[in-house]
Amino acid sequence: MRRFVIGSAKALFNRSCQNHPNVLLRPLASSHSRFLSSTSVLDSPPPPPSSMAPVSLDTINPKVLKCEYAVRGEVVTLAQALQEELKSKPGSHPFDEILYCNIGNPQSLGQQPITFFREVLALCDHPSILDKSETQGLFSADAIERAWQILDQIPGRATGAYSHSQGIKGLRDTIAAGIAARDGFPADPNDIFLTDGASPAVHMMMQLLIRSEKDGILCPIPQYPLYSASIALHGGTLVPYYLDEAAGWGLEVSELKKQLADAKTKGITPRALVVINPGNPTGQVLAEDNQREIVDFCKTEGLVLLADEVYQENVYVPEKKFHSFKKVARSMGYGEKDISVVSFQSVSKGYYGECGKRGGYMEVTGFGPEIREQIYKVASVNLCSNISGQILASLVMSPPKVGDESYESYSAEKDGILSSLARRAKTLEDAFNKLEGVTCNKAEGAMYLFPRIRLPEKAIKAAEAAKTAPDNFYCRRLLNATGIVFVPGSGFGQVAGTWHFRCTILPQEDKIPAVVSRLTEFHKSFMEEFRN
Amino acid sequence: MRRFVIGSAKALFNRSCQNHPNVLLRPLASSHSRFLSSTSVLDSPPPPPSSMAPVSLDTINPKVLKCEYAVRGEVVTLAQALQEELKSKPGSHPFDEILYCNIGNPQSLGQQPITFFREVLALCDHPSILDKSETQGLFSADAIERAWQILDQIPGRATGAYSHSQGIKGLRDTIAAGIAARDGFPADPNDIFLTDGASPAVHMMMQLLIRSEKDGILCPIPQYPLYSASIALHGGTLVPYYLDEAAGWGLEVSELKKQLADAKTKGITPRALVVINPGNPTGQVLAEDNQREIVDFCKTEGLVLLADEVYQENVYVPEKKFHSFKKVARSMGYGEKDISVVSFQSVSKGYYGECGKRGGYMEVTGFGPEIREQIYKVASVNLCSNISGQILASLVMSPPKVGDESYESYSAEKDGILSSLARRAKTLEDAFNKLEGVTCNKAEGAMYLFPRIRLPEKAIKAAEAAKTAPDNFYCRRLLNATGIVFVPGSGFGQVAGTWHFRCTILPQEDKIPAVVSRLTEFHKSFMEEFRN
């Protein structure tokens, strides 16, 4: 059946190119190899077409067919299958566990949640224990106090009710105060839209901005594939700008200008610029000067600046600091009327890593009331985001302060996680740089390394013969030999002819030596096998 | 600025009609009045166009402009403004509180959550208290046991990790077992997709099925406006079928056939049939015979059956019983290969009413593996739904059983809520039927009444003069006079020339007499004022 998927997808791809010669498919220069890579699991012949008439691949929305999301793609599916096999047939593989380095999902790899946050969430879930005496023995005093404060902000203290479609007003007040304290510039609670993680917020903005394939969204390459997926689902065009690997994944405004001009000559109307800072999958942290140039570029070109700032707490090098794009814009004297900036934040990242809670927000600035009304309307169709996620978003923007009972343990937990992440990033970076043919930029921030691998010609030929992309070929071989799961660079986009993979820095520290030694050993034998 | 919105929307509407003469805009025969109704708050002249270039109403996605969602529409916005005024200037209105009867949001009106469910959620949020001695005193033994069971189903017991994109496998096992117990037919955990409430699941199916405005989705009129909004956002065509108010909002297959044929002659390809059972906003519960006819209709016509079954626990009359469409199909001998049925369920409704938790699922049956893969891919782009909502979805499908410590209190809470809802439905139905010119069908199920109001000609003229729809005019007058919030029928669709409103049965019982007396008094004076 997969063969059919791919046939269809290819046909679509070609048709789409013919119909819209202006559509920039180059961003996904890797598209070709990505379609190819999907064929790699072809072993059995396709089953006969289903007898169920209503829905077939030929009759579903082609935008759905076109969309891809590598972070949970083929290699991960293979890993899950291997994990099942390890369970049902222990010893069936040359490793005893799968080491998931594919996704920024810290708690799945053993990171513990921040105690204070969980105390408050539990108390808000079951407020009737708040005034019981046993509760004092189980929960910290400031968690109890915070739970009361939050409940008082919720109409009727009803944590089980739909909230305002932007989120509970009192929580938005807290978040706005947190943003203001972070940036030194005021933030308006009416600019905050609480969402189930950052992804739905990104979809909302894409849905608002994209009218057709003639609308372009400038995205970094490599990029987090949520962006390419969302642009595909909403029928727009991804206009790529390439990060400069040789300059530590630098973002050059000259490149933005070049790609923008190129897109315009092809009949594309650029609507927005996506910047991921700290970078995913690339891990760089932008310098403030660079951010100023980017702000000016957006202002001059009339682009909405979509700022993915979900890794704002994940900066590991002393010489770099996170600055929100709104702060940078305000510090340049640009106000609400001068530039449209949307900042995305999530409870899934940072030191909290609460992916399963699906909390997040976008701060929407520089849009007229008539547009805000449209964003609100779309938010209201889904009623509201989940209240636990809303509460958690308020907590991460307003954690315990000096003097609070929980402050010390909270700080210890936070610092422990962040300093460990920094150590893991450095260890893995060093390990990658020791591998033959591999170079790896520093992870200044975020949760990933994106090393480049120069594969021997013979390996590239072998991948071709296996009808897959070389980076996918490498990652599958690595997985089969070691249980380590990386995501091939093709899933993020890369300069044509270069190959990469993304590796998270999230395995717990006691697992890192195993990752390094298994990877090193595998890599040596792989390079030996395919030496020209 | 609103004037501009409406101008644009109308222009769009007209353009859309010209470009696609086949698009059935009649479903929203009420569209005209709905656009009109939006103009009703026009008092001030439009502000000058914003100086912010990037985004204006002329440059956003026209599908967003077209989408409407009345449940949180104009009347509700007005109610929120009045509530603020009551707070800042007590005594400024002839009532001292707003009585929200606009939305199925039980806990916002004082309904208490089911204790067992909240105990389990709290324990899963903060598992480190599970083995503390104080916990025994605060939580029931079976809640502690269930929390352990659930944690054991979660890889690494990590409630803060992203789960499988369909939801945690163990929870899906529990849900599938609950469905099987409910229906007497097996259910497959791999058919379950856990979602943040039912709304995202509906969007996913619309996104999958709708390719262009030539694809039609059959929807009941009146309908829950999530459907019209989602179809508009995804660029499809709503093909209306009218429920028969005279027959207790009956669903006639002859009407389905007629509308299907009509749509086809207009070049529309019908893809799916939406059935809401128990009905929203209409409150009817379908008879099993009728469901069989509907299943056969879908099978014959090759339509996906999108079964909104979120009110499955809300049935108030002994002569009716909820039957899932999958069960009905299976009882007719139709299997996986014969018909595509998607069942939507939510933790927001039932006796639990946990709207703020955003839990829900869809059970997807009768699709080939190639399509399932596409649905999975779209789900994976958003990673997963929130884990608390997932846990709660498993709890509502597997509540305490006879013999469990919590069973008695759980049953008492459940029965108390459901029997009270039944009493409230009856009291309100009777009250409506006593009003001059008003007739109201019985609420056999769900959470709403949808009475019809025959307005005096003078009131209709007055509405026209106020540039609003007559039902909107009535609802605004009611709100301003009494603080009661109904949603005008135009938001749901209604037979042209008839007027209705939707009223929830959710105000607590001690508030119902006030609703009835204020409404009755208002209605009398309204009818007096506009008597021809």
Side-chain angles (χ1 to χ4, degrees):
Chain A
M1 198 52 74
R2 270 173 193 273
R3 198 182 292 273
F4 187 46
V5 179
I6 296 139
S8 264
K10 272 194 190 159
L12 244 166
F13 180 84
N14 295 334
R15 251 180 279 142
S16 148
C17 294
Q18 285 153 14
N19 293 346
H20 310 293
N22 292 335
V23 174
L24 297 193
L25 281 154
R26 223 181 354 115
L28 306 176
S30 50
S31 284
H32 179 63
S33 46
R34 290 208 282 149
F35 284 127
L36 274 178
S37 75
S38 306
T39 63
S40 57
V41 285
L42 285 177
D43 292 317
S44 49
S50 148
S51 67
M52 288 161 294
V55 187
S56 72
L57 289 178
D58 289 329
T59 64
I60 66 168
N61 180 358
K63 293 173 192 161
V64 168
L65 261 190
K66 202 174 158 187
C67 145
E68 293 198 26
Y69 187 69
V71 173
R72 292 209 158 179
E74 183 214 326
V75 176
V76 184
T77 305
L78 178 58
Q80 285 162 344
L82 292 180
Q83 186 164 32
E84 287 306 310
E85 284 176 25
L86 282 177
K87 220 191 284 177
S88 59
K89 283 184 256 167
S92 56
H93 293 279
F95 44 85
D96 53 9
E97 66 172 330
I98 303 292
L99 290 163
Y100 287 100
C101 303
N102 60 301
I103 187 168
N105 192 9
Q107 295 191 27
S108 74
L109 298 180
Q111 182 175 308
Q112 292 304 302
I114 299 293
T115 306
F116 175 81
F117 295 167
R118 291 304 192 95
E119 288 184 324
V120 176
L121 289 181
L123 291 167
C124 291
D125 264 344
H126 192 35
S128 60
I129 63 171
L130 266 168
D131 45 18
K132 300 257 173 78
S133 60
E134 293 97 329
T135 303
Q136 316 285 334
L138 282 176
F139 294 85
S140 62
D142 53 339
I144 295 173
E145 195 189 326
R146 183 70 75 96
W148 279 121
Q149 276 170 19
I150 288 171
L151 288 168
D152 284 341
Q153 289 168 336
I154 301 178
R157 292 183 176 166
T159 54
Y162 293 129
S163 70
H164 185 286
S165 295
Q166 288 185 237
I168 292 162
K169 175 61 166 55
L171 301 179
R172 285 186 279 130
D173 290 340
T174 305
I175 291 169
I179 295 171
R182 181 195 69 194
D183 290 349
F185 290 94
D188 184 342
N190 295 320
D191 292 345
I192 311 287
F193 285 76
L194 283 152
T195 49
D196 291 312
S199 305
V202 170
H203 286 309
M204 273 173 77
M205 290 311 301
M206 295 299 175
Q207 187 164 51
L208 183 82
L209 292 172
I210 295 173
R211 294 161 294 183
S212 75
E213 70 283 347
K214 296 279 175 192
D215 279 335
I217 308 291
L218 279 148
C219 282
I221 297 294
Q223 51 102 32
Y224 174 48
L226 166 66
Y227 294 97
S228 50
S230 187
I231 293 167
L233 284 173
H234 292 100
T237 292
L238 189 154
V239 179
Y241 66 89
Y242 288 83
L243 300 175
D244 185 356
E245 184 165 14
W249 297 115
L251 197 172
E252 295 293 332
V253 171
S254 57
E255 166 72 4
L256 293 178
K257 285 182 182 160
K258 193 185 109 197
Q259 298 293 355
L260 184 89
D262 192 41
K264 284 182 178 171
T265 63
K266 288 175 170 137
I268 300 295
T269 307
R271 306 298 312 273
L273 171 74
V274 172
V275 181
I276 311 174
N277 180 45
N280 175 6
T282 43
Q284 87 285 14
V285 178
L286 297 179
E288 202 175 351
D289 276 355
N290 194 194
Q291 290 185 272
R292 282 199 202 98
E293 294 176 316
I294 294 163
V295 166
D296 266 332
F297 172 76
C298 288
K299 184 170 153 49
T300 308
E301 301 294 345
L303 296 171
V304 176
L305 176 46
L306 299 174
D308 182 333
E309 301 182 325
V310 302
Y311 297 100
Q312 56 189 261
E313 299 272 7
N314 299 97
V315 179
Y316 308 120
V317 290
E319 67 273 21
K320 288 285 181 78
K321 201 174 167 310
F322 168 77
H323 304 281
S324 81
F325 269 103
K326 196 190 98 188
K327 168 187 164 180
V328 171
R330 295 291 176 271
S331 70
M332 294 166 77
Y334 296 147
E336 183 69 20
K337 304 243 161 202
D338 301 307
I339 182 166
S340 309
V341 181
V342 182
S343 167
F344 302 100
Q345 163 67 322
S346 167
V347 304
S348 304
K349 309 303 170 186
Y351 54 90
Y352 17 93
E354 291 278 16
C355 302
K357 296 296 172 186
R358 311 309 286 124
Y361 69 78
M362 57 177 178
E363 184 191 14
V364 176
T365 57
F367 292 85
E370 73 285 11
I371 299 299
R372 293 277 291 268
E373 203 175 296
Q374 297 296 318
I375 301 174
Y376 175 78
K377 184 178 68 182
V378 172
S380 77
V381 174
N382 280 329
L383 297 160
C384 67
S385 63
N386 85 86
I387 306 296
S388 294
Q390 291 190 25
I391 292 171
L392 191 48
S394 82
L395 294 174
V396 307
M397 297 307 286
S398 174
K401 285 171 190 53
V402 181
D404 293 348
E405 181 182 308
S406 293
Y407 181 73
E408 216 166 302
S409 65
Y410 155 77
S411 291
E413 290 173 356
K414 171 182 170 176
D415 296 345
I417 290 166
L418 289 176
S419 57
S420 167
L421 285 173
R423 284 193 299 273
R424 288 179 250 172
K426 186 78 186 83
T427 306
L428 288 167
E429 176 204 326
D430 290 346
F432 285 127
N433 280 317
K434 280 186 195 141
L435 301 181
E436 180 189 350
V438 174
T439 50
C440 182
N441 280 323
K442 192 188 281 187
E444 299 172 328
M447 295 180 169
Y448 315 100
L449 291 159
F450 197 66
R452 176 171 174 187
I453 176 165
R454 284 151 190 88
L455 290 161
E457 204 49 45
K458 247 171 100 178
I460 292 171
K461 288 264 186 312
E464 232 163 67
K467 293 198 164 63
T468 191
D471 51 1
N472 200 54
F473 181 76
Y474 180 89
C475 288
R476 280 171 53 207
R477 290 284 296 252
L478 173 73
L479 170 60
N480 279 315
T482 65
I484 298 173
V485 192
F486 290 168
V487 185
S490 335
F492 305 90
Q494 50 200 347
V495 171
T498 70
W499 306 107
H500 299 75
F501 44 82
R502 189 182 82 165
C503 166
T504 73
I505 58 171
L506 297 175
Q508 289 295 293
E509 276 194 282
D510 59 350
K511 302 272 186 199
I512 297 285
V515 173
V516 171
S517 65
R518 289 197 216 169
L519 169 70
T520 306
E521 196 184 332
F522 162 79
H523 187 78
K524 271 186 196 148
S525 71
F526 182 92
M527 295 302 271
E528 280 310 320
E529 182 179 348
F530 294 101
R531 201 168 296 286
N532 293 324
Chain B
M1 197 51 74
R2 269 172 193 275
R3 197 184 293 273
F4 187 47
V5 179
I6 296 139
S8 263
K10 273 192 188 159
L12 245 166
F13 181 87
N14 294 334
R15 250 181 279 141
S16 148
C17 293
Q18 285 154 13
N19 295 346
H20 310 293
N22 290 337
V23 174
L24 296 193
L25 281 155
R26 222 184 352 117
L28 307 175
S30 49
S31 283
H32 179 62
S33 46
R34 290 207 281 148
F35 285 129
L36 274 179
S37 76
S38 306
T39 64
S40 56
V41 283
L42 286 177
D43 291 317
S44 49
S50 148
S51 66
M52 288 160 295
V55 187
S56 73
L57 289 177
D58 289 331
T59 64
I60 67 168
N61 179 357
K63 294 172 191 160
V64 167
L65 260 189
K66 202 173 158 187
C67 146
E68 294 198 25
Y69 188 69
V71 173
R72 294 209 157 178
E74 182 214 329
V75 175
V76 184
T77 305
L78 178 58
Q80 285 163 344
L82 292 179
Q83 186 163 32
E84 288 303 311
E85 283 176 26
L86 283 176
K87 219 191 284 177
S88 58
K89 283 184 255 170
S92 57
H93 292 280
F95 44 85
D96 54 8
E97 65 172 330
I98 303 292
L99 290 163
Y100 286 100
C101 303
N102 60 301
I103 186 167
N105 192 9
Q107 296 191 28
S108 74
L109 299 180
Q111 182 175 307
Q112 291 305 301
I114 299 292
T115 306
F116 175 81
F117 294 168
R118 291 304 192 96
E119 287 183 325
V120 177
L121 289 182
L123 291 166
C124 291
D125 264 345
H126 192 37
S128 60
I129 63 171
L130 266 168
D131 46 18
K132 300 255 173 79
S133 60
E134 293 97 328
T135 303
Q136 316 285 334
L138 283 176
F139 294 85
S140 62
D142 54 339
I144 294 173
E145 196 189 325
R146 183 70 76 96
W148 278 121
Q149 276 170 19
I150 287 171
L151 288 169
D152 284 341
Q153 289 168 336
I154 301 178
R157 292 184 176 166
T159 54
Y162 294 129
S163 71
H164 186 285
S165 295
Q166 287 186 237
I168 292 161
K169 174 62 167 51
L171 302 178
R172 285 186 280 130
D173 290 340
T174 306
I175 291 169
I179 295 171
R182 180 195 69 195
D183 290 350
F185 290 93
D188 183 341
N190 295 320
D191 292 345
I192 311 287
F193 286 76
L194 282 151
T195 48
D196 292 311
S199 305
V202 170
H203 286 310
M204 272 173 76
M205 291 311 301
M206 295 299 175
Q207 187 165 50
L208 183 82
L209 293 172
I210 295 174
R211 295 161 294 185
S212 73
E213 69 283 346
K214 297 278 175 190
D215 278 335
I217 309 291
L218 279 148
C219 282
I221 297 293
Q223 51 104 31
Y224 173 48
L226 166 66
Y227 294 98
S228 50
S230 188
I231 294 167
L233 283 174
H234 293 100
T237 292
L238 189 154
V239 178
Y241 66 89
Y242 289 83
L243 301 175
D244 185 357
E245 183 165 14
W249 296 114
L251 197 171
E252 295 294 332
V253 171
S254 57
E255 166 71 4
L256 293 178
K257 286 183 181 158
K258 193 184 111 199
Q259 298 292 355
L260 185 87
D262 193 40
K264 284 182 177 170
T265 63
K266 288 175 171 136
I268 300 295
T269 307
R271 306 297 315 271
L273 171 74
V274 172
V275 182
I276 310 173
N277 178 46
N280 175 7
T282 43
Q284 87 285 15
V285 178
L286 296 180
E288 201 174 352
D289 277 355
N290 194 194
Q291 290 185 272
R292 281 198 202 97
E293 295 175 315
I294 295 164
V295 167
D296 265 332
F297 173 76
C298 288
K299 183 169 152 50
T300 308
E301 301 294 344
L303 296 171
V304 175
L305 176 46
L306 300 174
D308 181 335
E309 301 182 327
V310 302
Y311 297 100
Q312 56 189 263
E313 299 273 7
N314 298 98
V315 179
Y316 307 121
V317 291
E319 68 271 22
K320 288 286 180 78
K321 202 175 165 307
F322 168 78
H323 304 282
S324 80
F325 269 103
K326 195 189 98 186
K327 167 186 164 180
V328 170
R330 295 292 176 271
S331 71
M332 295 166 77
Y334 297 146
E336 184 69 20
K337 303 243 161 204
D338 301 307
I339 182 167
S340 309
V341 181
V342 183
S343 166
F344 302 100
Q345 164 67 323
S346 168
V347 304
S348 304
K349 309 303 170 188
Y351 55 89
Y352 16 93
E354 292 277 16
C355 302
K357 296 295 172 190
R358 310 311 286 123
Y361 69 78
M362 58 177 179
E363 185 191 13
V364 176
T365 58
F367 292 85
E370 74 285 11
I371 300 299
R372 293 279 289 270
E373 202 175 298
Q374 297 295 318
I375 301 174
Y376 175 78
K377 183 178 67 179
V378 171
S380 77
V381 175
N382 281 329
L383 297 160
C384 67
S385 62
N386 84 86
I387 305 296
S388 294
Q390 292 190 26
I391 292 171
L392 190 49
S394 83
L395 295 174
V396 307
M397 297 307 286
S398 175
K401 286 173 188 54
V402 181
D404 293 347
E405 181 183 309
S406 293
Y407 180 74
E408 215 166 302
S409 64
Y410 156 77
S411 291
E413 289 173 356
K414 172 182 171 176
D415 296 346
I417 290 166
L418 288 175
S419 57
S420 168
L421 285 173
R423 284 193 300 274
R424 289 178 251 172
K426 187 79 185 83
T427 306
L428 287 167
E429 176 203 327
D430 290 347
F432 284 127
N433 279 316
K434 280 188 194 139
L435 300 181
E436 180 189 349
V438 174
T439 50
C440 183
N441 281 323
K442 192 188 282 187
E444 299 173 328
M447 294 179 169
Y448 315 99
L449 291 159
F450 197 66
R452 176 171 175 186
I453 177 165
R454 285 151 190 88
L455 290 161
E457 204 48 46
K458 247 171 97 178
I460 292 170
K461 287 265 186 311
E464 231 163 68
K467 294 197 162 66
T468 191
D471 51 1
N472 200 55
F473 181 76
Y474 180 90
C475 289
R476 279 171 54 207
R477 291 283 297 249
L478 173 72
L479 170 59
N480 279 315
T482 65
I484 297 172
V485 192
F486 290 169
V487 185
S490 333
F492 304 90
Q494 50 200 349
V495 170
T498 70
W499 306 107
H500 299 75
F501 46 81
R502 187 181 83 165
C503 166
T504 73
I505 58 171
L506 297 176
Q508 290 295 292
E509 276 194 283
D510 58 351
K511 302 273 185 197
I512 297 285
V515 174
V516 170
S517 66
R518 289 196 215 171
L519 169 70
T520 306
E521 196 185 331
F522 162 79
H523 188 78
K524 270 187 195 147
S525 73
F526 182 92
M527 296 303 270
E528 280 311 320
E529 182 179 347
F530 294 101
R531 201 168 295 287
N532 293 324

